[in-house]
Amino acid sequence: MIELISHHPIASALIALGSLSLIFGAVLGFAAVRFKVEGDPVVAQIDALLPQTQCGQCGHPGCRPYAQGIANGEPINKCPPGGQSTINAIADLLDVEAPTLDEEHGEESDIPTVAYIREDECIGCTKCIQACPMDAILGAAKQMHTVIADECTGCDLCVDPCPVDCIDMIPVQTTLSSWTWEPPKADLIATDRKEHQAA
Amino acid sequence: MTQIWNIPGGIHPPENKQQSLRAPLGHIDLPAELVLPLNQHLGAPAEPVVAVGDNVKTGQVIAQPGGQFSAAVHASSSGRVIAIEDRPLPHPSGFAGPCIVIAPDGLDTWINLEPCPDYRAQEPVELVQKIRLAGIAGMGGAGFPTAIKLAPKANQPIDTLILNGTECEPYITADDRLMRDRPEQVIEGARLMAYLLGEPDRVVIGIEDNKPEAIAALRAAAEGSPIEIAGFPTKYPSGGEKQLITILTGREVPAGKIPADIGIVVQNVGTAVAAWRAVVRGEPLISRITTVVGEALDVQRNVEVRLGTPVAHVLAAHGFQAAKASRIVLGGPMMGYAIETGDVPVVKTTNCILAPSQQELPAPPPAQACIRCGMCSEACPASLLPQQLYWYARAQDHEKLEAYNLFDCIECGACAYVCPSSIPLVHYYRAAKGDIRQAQVDKEKADRSRERFAFRQERIARQEAEKEAKRAERAKAAAAAKAKMAEKKSNAGTASDPVATAIAKAKAQQASAQQSPVEQRAKLERQLSAAQGRLALAQEKLSQAETEEQAEKCRAAVKTAEIKLTDVQQKLANAKDAPKDDPVAAAIERAKAKLTMSPLEKLNATIATLSERLQKAEAKLAQAQTEQSAHVEALQLGVDKLRAKLNEAQEELASHSPTTADERAPDDAASAAIERAKAKAAARAAMSDTDKLREQVSSLEVRLDKARQKLADAEAEGSPHVDALRTAADKLANKLADTQSRLENA
Amino acid sequence: MALMRISSPHATGPNRTTQVMLTVCLATLPGLMALVWHFGPGPLINVLLASIFALALEALALKLRKRPIGFYLRDGSALVTGILLGLALPPYVPWWLIFVGVFFAIVIAKHLYGGLGYNPFNPAMVGYVVLLISFPLPMTQWVLPAELTQQTPTLIETLLGLAQGTQGLPDGITGATPLDAFRQNTGELVLDVYAQSPVLAAGQWAGAGFEWVNLGFLLGGALLLQQRIFTWHAPVGMLATLLLLSALFYDGGSSNSAGSPWLHLLSGGTMLGAFFIVTDPVTSTTSTKGRLIFGAGVGLLVFCIRTWGNYPDAVAFAVLLMNFAAPFIDYYTTPRTYGHTKPRKATEKSE
């Protein structure tokens, strides 16, 4: 045996390496099948981070299609309602550098809004009902419509279709139960940074 | 001697309790207005049961509890309800909320009270209900409705009742005063609560040892009863509910649980007295003892204040010097909140009004860098790591904050008190807690939105699919017909003669009729016998019919039956000598027979009413247009809709007319057509295109004016909707310009 | 009436960061006095120069970072760093050496990491270690205490020394420190080592001069403990470990002995480290349990490096190594929060 090996060093090395690779390949293949981790598909994970306004400002007909788009390599900065925090979260998930919001798709607004129908001006045309991605507008033909404020995501898709412009986007009112303390005023370090940026 | 356990952390701030204890309990005059907020406590707001202008008596219920976690509101003095409106609330947000405002008449006439000195004769459930209706809520801090705490669930047997007389916050002495002045009421309150809770094994009143007079007074009053009076070393925040439980029992309330889960109920001594008075004397909660203290006041003492008294009134009665004050705090210096206006009223939870001078509580110095000195974690009574929480709160790392148990923070302020760099730690935690709660709410909403959107997508997809299926079916039918045609053509060979086609068709039909003549005959025979039976039945009914109307109906039924019978007989005959006879003729016969019973009259009548309504509507529309009314649009829509309906009816009619025109209703059809033409003409006359446009322009102009007016108003008021209104106005202007240009083109 | 809306608590305690820092500075006085008494004006000059450099460099760094200079200078942290580095340096080193050390301490170790509160390593010790590695010769030459030389360098000699180091001093004024004497020990009994080393022979327990300096720092540390500037955990952890290990390895004073417990506790930088370096809150651990472990770790490393290592003293290395470990210790010493059955691991993700 030893003689055989010493006489055919190259051949025996090749055989040894080959058999090793076969064994390890088999082990790895077995492990890949046996210990497969069923991960949450990345699209669902991205979708969970998107704000679900279904506003379509990204150019997709809803949040999930955009999540699909991101999974297929689209830029992650096309969601104005989510703003920078959403971009950061997605960047964190996908382990990429977080870009700033692409202003082309709209500006980030700090104030959440909700649609409000001026009911005495509504003619009951149902166009907003068809436009609402959330089914958050109640009403029927010839009947005055109204917004279910709790379900409204503030996407403003209902504003344009309205033939009489009776829909306003108004800021969500803070109530006693939704009120919280503002974070403390930025301390000296942060103010300095702002001055620095301004300078 | 009661065993005392130690709690971790804690601080020893200057007590500052002597200032308000020098003078005895005081009383102040009634204010000009009593402001009673509808939500004085956690939970749903109460619902008012009085109207503006009503006269109320002291102790009268003016608002009913709005739910399980709500308590009633009572008039704290007799007088007249002068308003039910939003007033500034005693809340750190400084928000306004609904309040009932009473102008006291100064007489203070009470309602008739229902005392119940022997409460042991009644069931605890009834007494708890009494306490609930008396509006008793926790008077120590959070204002939790007492009735809920006194009615623990069946699976939570209570073995220990603790009365909290700790009052660990600096400056506050309201409970101290109460325990010194009315110790027997405190003991009675403890007995009452013990009875309500099913006589727990242990009833203990916990007091810090910096109140020796209170301890002595209670010990004297409790002489001979099993109620323990436990004095323990002074340390802030021993008076926190969880801390007090640990000090007196050595047990800990598990995170996310309530004391009742481990068999303990903690009540403030003031609450116990209020509950006792509510049950035994029938008095609802209309006043409380409040400490009025601070160097910006001439007089510092405890006063009995009617609920709803504005803080400014209380301060004025104690010689408040606004120039000297650094702020006004409701509650103590550790956990109280500063208020922005003295208009807020004293409520059930207002245990202290603190008006400190600049020297006493100076404005906080600017925060320096955290040097990780760890004093905060030594001071924390919940054994948290405040500096870690601070880092993560600044970084808004919600996950880490929760991992470091942010929500176990009781916001006692010990960490911020000891912080050498004056970092407002509690403020960071409060903001972070709010952010996390908001994030949770947002997350829930996003999840719900996702579901709703998915559902909508699914619904739309389903509708599309249904439509698609129908379309496919139609296409299939058309294709089949085409194929048949093609087949026939090929059958007819090269002959493209329509006659040949017709012959082929007839042949095909005959072939199909011939398929199973025996079966067909059997079926027809069955039909025949059924038709005969039906005819007999109808005839019988006719003979029995009493009224003309009924008879008419029956006659019609008889006729249908007869027709059907003859039809079937005919068919049968055809079938018998088939295939000689043509079945087409029978079909024609049948159709004719059916048509004799068609609802043509009905249709005609509908058309007549519709055209009448249309005329009326058009008249109204014309009038509205001349008056430039705002309803033109709506009316226009109505007219359109009516016209559509009319057309529909006419179409239906028309679909019947080809076969019936010659027989039944030539006049009706003609008159309908005439009506229709008339209506159309009228509509056209009333509304040429340019007219329409002109109307639109004028109505748009009116709306634009209105919108501009609103915008101006909003701008004048600095309303937050200015932007929305401006876009609306701009849009209207655009639309107007657009319409005007179209009008010019027309 | 202008009323503020600020969150509670409205009252604040008496502790101020500035006061903490100044108290620490004052507490170094007994040790500094002992140093001057035994080694002449050199240490005082060291401390003064280091403080001036520290404040100047801190101001410069703040200016470059566009921070309010006055506000942050007043917190006194730079002064403390300067004083501690000045105390740790051997007397009579050239001025530029002090400058380099302070520069690394303030600019590199502190401000490049984000300023006070963000630095993972003790700035004074970083400065010291950089000097010790880069300039081993001047950093290992200690003048002998006054008990041996009967004279201390005059002020003029000291100022001369600032320009050229110990070369400017009279001959024979420098010599081996007690720890050097032991490190160079090659198989002799402890008693013999004591007899042969002039420093040890002249001292009571751990070498003339050095033992008094350490006692001075012990006094200052006790003062800080009494003022509740820091808790007892870290110093006690360190000193107890050092005591225990040196007692274990004393070996009855045999030729294998690592030196007596007295020697270890009262020579070199033991007390300065225990009360002024290990207690630095920024670079230490958070919880009390963690501080006990942190201190014990420093004690262990000090003993190991002194006994088996290549450097004469080990406090700086030990502290820096334990600084590395501080977050790790924090992670495992999270206290149990009220109402929770066991401490939750901070990095556990709530999934």
Side-chain angles (χ1 to χ4, degrees), chain C residues 126 131 149 174 187 211 229 241 266 338:
Chain C
V126 170
L131 293 182
T149 54
T174 61
E211 57 199 25
I229 297 295
T241 311
L266 292 178
Y338 180 98

Side-chain angles (χ1 to χ4, degrees), chain B residues 39-190:
Chain B
N39 37 4
Q40 294 198 340
H41 31 67
L42 303 165
E47 289 152 6
V49 291
V50 290
V52 176
D54 286 2
N55 283 311
V56 292
K57 287 182 176 173
T58 309
Q60 183 182 332
V61 175
I62 53 174
Q64 289 287 2
Q68 176 74 19
F69 287 85
S70 185
V73 181
H74 301 79
S76 44
S77 187
S78 62
R80 207 162 54 83
V81 177
I82 55 169
I84 298 176
E85 61 185 18
D86 282 6
R87 291 287 182 103
L89 293 179
H91 188 267
S93 67
F95 282 179
C99 299
I100 297 177
V101 186
I102 295 172
D105 54 16
L107 303 174
D108 206 18
T109 8
W110 275 80
I111 46 159
N112 291 326
L113 300 178
E114 290 172 30
C116 170
D118 184 23
Y119 58 80
R120 277 170 199 276
Q122 292 196 31
E123 282 295 308
V125 181
E126 293 166 36
L127 298 175
V128 167
Q129 184 62 15
K130 226 172 200 178
I131 287 170
R132 181 171 141 86
L133 292 179
I136 313 290
M139 294 166 82
F144 195 79
T146 305
I148 294 171
K149 271 191 177 180
L150 287 177
K153 292 180 207 131
N155 59 355
Q156 296 167 336
I158 302 300
D159 57 34
T160 307
L161 167 66
I162 296 174
L163 285 204
N164 189 347
T166 317
E167 208 167 47
C168 57
E169 275 241 7
Y171 287 99
I172 309 179
T173 55
D175 289 345
D176 194 3
R177 188 84 263 169
L178 178 77
M179 290 186 286
R180 285 191 202 188
D181 291 3
R182 302 168 186 167
E184 67 294 335
Q185 289 189 10
V186 175
I187 299 296
E188 284 305 319

Side-chain angles (χ1 to χ4, degrees), chain B residues 597-619:
Chain B
M597 294 308 295
S598 78
L600 264 183
E601 283 91 344
K602 244 190 230 164
L603 259 179
N604 282 329
T606 318
I607 289 169
T609 33
L610 274 176
S611 46
E612 200 180 286
R613 270 170 61 198
L614 179 59
Q615 273 169 353
K616 265 189 202 162
E618 274 167 351

Side-chain angles (χ1 to χ4, degrees), chain B residues 179-227:
Chain B
M179 290 186 286
R180 285 191 202 188
D181 291 3
R182 302 168 186 167
E184 67 294 335
Q185 289 189 10
V186 175
I187 299 296
E188 284 305 319
R191 287 208 178 105
L192 167 71
M193 287 187 161
Y195 172 66
L196 295 180
L197 292 168
E199 302 294 350
D201 305 339
R202 217 181 141 198
V203 179
V204 52
I205 304 179
I207 310 169
E208 278 187 340
D209 61 7
N210 62 353
K211 299 183 245 315
E213 296 89 342
I215 295 176
L218 284 179
R219 287 227 165 103
E223 197 68 59
S225 78
I227 296 172

Side-chain angles (χ1 to χ4, degrees), chain C residues 253-291:
Chain C
S254 73
S255 57
N256 284 327
S257 173
S260 73
W262 289 121
L263 177 86
H264 279 286
L265 287 182
L266 292 178
S267 68
T270 305
M271 289 298 169
L272 180 69
F275 290 99
F276 295 90
I277 308 293
V278 172
T279 52
D280 170 33
V282 179
T283 55
S284 162
T285 52
T286 308
S287 62
T288 46
K289 203 163 111 196
R291 287 190 174 162

Side-chain angles (χ1 to χ4, degrees), chain B residues 433-514:
Chain B
K433 280 181 181 177
D435 275 356
I436 292 176
R437 286 201 195 99
Q438 189 58 45
Q440 271 164 357
V441 169
D442 288 350
K443 177 92 179 45
E444 273 163 31
K445 183 167 179 183
D447 287 346
R448 213 167 56 229
S449 298
R450 185 181 299 117
E451 237 166 68
R452 283 180 81 90
F453 184 64
F455 181 76
R456 181 187 148 92
Q457 297 289 88
E458 194 196 318
R459 194 192 67 218
I460 290 173
R462 204 174 53 230
Q463 284 172 349
E464 279 299 315
E466 274 166 18
K467 267 189 206 163
E468 192 54 47
K470 273 184 192 161
R471 214 175 291 140
E473 227 166 74
R474 275 201 300 275
K476 209 172 156 192
K482 241 186 194 169
K484 232 180 187 177
M485 208 78 127
E487 199 187 335
K488 278 169 204 160
K489 268 185 189 163
S490 63
N491 282 353
T494 47
S496 60
D497 191 351
V499 178
T501 322
I503 291 168
K505 194 176 168 184
K507 269 185 188 160
Q509 264 178 6
Q510 277 172 355
S512 76
Q514 273 172 343

Side-chain angles (χ1 to χ4, degrees), chain B residues 10 27 48 59 89 133 138 167 260 274 346 357 383 402 421 452 632 662 742:
Chain B
H27 295 270
L89 293 179
L133 292 179
E167 208 167 47
V346 170
S357 66
S383 304
E402 287 186 64
S421 290
R452 283 180 81 90
V632 170
D662 52 338
R742 265 201 294 169

